[in-house]
């Protein structure tokens, strides 16, 4: 059996001015990639492709800006060479000089970037990143309240408070105000683990600035691959035969059981009646098609097994809380953006980018 690829080391810079919400939000999203989706869907235990580490000047615990106790995983001098380095937001007033206070951190960020790391900053974390000089001559973003002061302090950088995410140069990513860090962490996941994993993290954590119903993020959390071999065989068949007009009848025939016995056994194994399972599986496939493509809704309906597009639309809205067109408008741009951001990571192609997991 081939060894698993080494995890991507992500150094999360922790300082006394760090705010815990963004720092630990990054930690949770990265540590939960792949793991949480498998957990929610009853699949085999999976590990994250990321190894997030809280890194600080010293390894001793300290109290952060909002009173949360932080225990670093490593000191700057002892941190394994990271592939990604993140500077999350800092609770410092706009315009306050930080270069002298964080001289050691500034040098460490500069050295890590020179060694090939992708450097990311969220919100006011740009205050520290700008001190490295890595943004000179580039476009950048930060929280809207900081950009005027940053423009005065670092006039060689073009600051854009209106932009949620900026790719500054080859190996720098920056998020702007507030929860724009969501897009930043999703961009990092997309780049190193693939857009599908990023979409899954977005859906699990309801990462969408719009007023999207929570059920729109839902997925097939029940009905994972059954331990019952006969039922699992039927699940595999129905996933490959969306065009079949009577899928439950065909599964009954495939099982060799009486219809009532099959339905009882299927429900016991999956937690769903066979027809409910078929609809849920087809709608999950439709979601992915709406996210990633521009085929007409009628074509999507036909592709996933519904001859009547009106019925498909009503079923989709009842289960998802949005019409197919509304779902595409909500999630299509995010999916396309994540694919654009995937790109090759530092050091060559990601070992995870070509992987896909079963729905």
């Amino acid at each position: 059996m081939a060894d698993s690829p080494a995890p991507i080391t992500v150094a999360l810079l922790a300082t006394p001015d760090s705010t815990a919400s963004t720092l630990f939000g990054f930690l949770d999203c990265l540590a939960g990639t792949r793991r949480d989706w498998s957990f929610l869907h009853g699949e085999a235990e999976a590990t994250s492709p990321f190894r997030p580490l809280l890194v600080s000047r010293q390894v001793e615990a300290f109290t952060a800006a909002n009173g949360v106790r932080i225990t670093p995983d490593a000191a700057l001098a002892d941190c394994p060479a990271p592939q990604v380095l993140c500077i999350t937001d800092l609770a410092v007033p706009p315009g306050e000089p930080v270069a002298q206070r964080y001289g050691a951190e500034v040098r460490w960020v500069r050295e890590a970037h020179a060694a090939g790391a992708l450097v990311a900053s969220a919100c006011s974390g740009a205050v520290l990143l700008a001190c490295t000089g890595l943004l000179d001559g580039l476009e950048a973003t930060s929280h809207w309240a900081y950009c005027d002061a940053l423009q005065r302090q670092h006039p060689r950088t073009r600051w854009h408070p209106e932009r949620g995410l900026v790719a500054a140069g080859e190996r720098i990513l920056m998020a702007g105000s507030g929860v724009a860090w969501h897009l930043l962490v999703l961009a990092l996941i997309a780049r190193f683990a693939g857009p599908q994993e990023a979409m899954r993290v977005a859906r699990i954590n309801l990462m969408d600035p719009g007023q999207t119903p929570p059920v729109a993020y839902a997925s097939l959390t029940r009905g994972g691959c059954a331990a019952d071999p006969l039922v699992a065989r039927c699940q595999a068949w129905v996933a490959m035969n969306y065009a079949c007009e009577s899928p439950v009848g065909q599964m009954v025939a495939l099982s060799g059981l009486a219809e009532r016995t099959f339905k009882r056994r299927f429900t016991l194994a999956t937690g769903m009646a066979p027809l409910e399972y078929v609809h849920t599986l087809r709608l999950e496939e439709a979601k992915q098609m709406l996210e990633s493509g521009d085929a007409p809704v009628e074509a999507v309906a036909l592709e996933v097994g519904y001859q009547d597009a009106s019925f498909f639309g009503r079923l989709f809205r009842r289960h998802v809380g949005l019409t197919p067109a509304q779902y595409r408008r909500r999630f299509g741009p995010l999916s396309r953006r994540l694919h654009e951001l995937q790109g090759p990571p530092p050091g060559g192609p990601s070992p995870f980018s070509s992987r896909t997991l079963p729905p």
Side-chain angles (χ1 to χ4, degrees), residues 221-272:
T221 56
R222 294 180 296 155
C225 188
D228 184 328
L230 184 147
V231 173
R233 182 183 173 200
C234 293
Q235 288 178 291
W237 179 88
V238 79
M240 298 296 293
N241 292 275
Y242 289 132
C244 179
E245 294 184 3
S246 55
V248 175
Q250 291 291 334
M251 285 193 291
V252 171
L254 182 65
S255 73
L257 302 174
E259 182 175 352
R260 180 177 294 183
T261 302
F262 170 78
K263 289 181 177 179
R264 184 169 57 248
R265 186 163 165 177
F266 190 98
T267 303
L268 182 64
T270 66
M272 307 174 77

Side-chain angles (χ1 to χ4, degrees), residues 159-357:
W159 295 93
H160 296 275
E162 78 285 357
R163 292 173 63 176
L165 190 70
V166 169
E170 183 183 355
R171 287 184 286 109
I172 300 175
L173 281 175
M174 306 181 72
S177 302
V179 294
W181 74 264
H182 290 179
L183 186 55
L184 176 59
V185 76
L186 292 176
L188 292 173
I189 295 169
R191 178 168 292 200
F192 288 92
Q196 183 183 39
E197 295 294 350
M199 282 300 301
R200 288 175 172 179
V201 171
R203 290 169 66 180
I204 290 172
N205 294 285
L206 277 66
M207 288 178 166
D208 176 34
Q211 298 299 312
T212 302
V215 290
Y217 294 86
S219 58
L220 188 56
T221 56
R222 294 180 296 155
C225 188
D228 184 328
L230 184 147
V231 173
R233 182 183 173 200
C234 293
Q235 288 178 291
W237 179 88
V238 79
M240 298 296 293
N241 292 275
Y242 289 132
C244 179
E245 294 184 3
S246 55
V248 175
Q250 291 291 334
M251 285 193 291
V252 171
L254 182 65
S255 73
L257 302 174
E259 182 175 352
R260 180 177 294 183
T261 302
F262 170 78
K263 289 181 177 179
R264 184 169 57 248
R265 186 163 165 177
F266 190 98
T267 303
L268 182 64
T270 66
M272 307 174 77
L275 185 58
E276 180 189 6
Y277 179 85
V278 169
H279 285 318
T280 306
L281 186 68
R282 290 177 173 185
L283 291 176
E284 189 68 15
E285 180 70 18
K287 282 183 179 181
Q288 296 188 34
M289 292 181 65
L290 291 166
E291 289 169 6
S292 60
D294 55 4
V297 171
E298 293 79 6
V300 172
L302 190 62
E303 183 70 21
V304 298
Y306 297 105
Q307 301 286 335
D308 185 343
S310 297
F311 173 79
F312 166 74
R314 293 193 299 271
L315 185 70
F316 192 98
R317 180 158 193 167
R318 185 162 71 246
H319 282 262
V320 180
L322 299 170
T323 67
Q326 289 170 333
Y327 186 90
R328 171 175 278 158
R329 286 196 295 271
R330 293 285 192 197
F331 291 97
L334 175 59
S335 179
R336 288 192 295 273
R337 182 66 171 141
L338 291 173
H339 278 80
E340 291 169 1
L341 290 167
Q342 181 180 13
S350 167
F352 305 100
S353 60
S354 62
R355 286 188 172 187
T356 57
L357 294 176

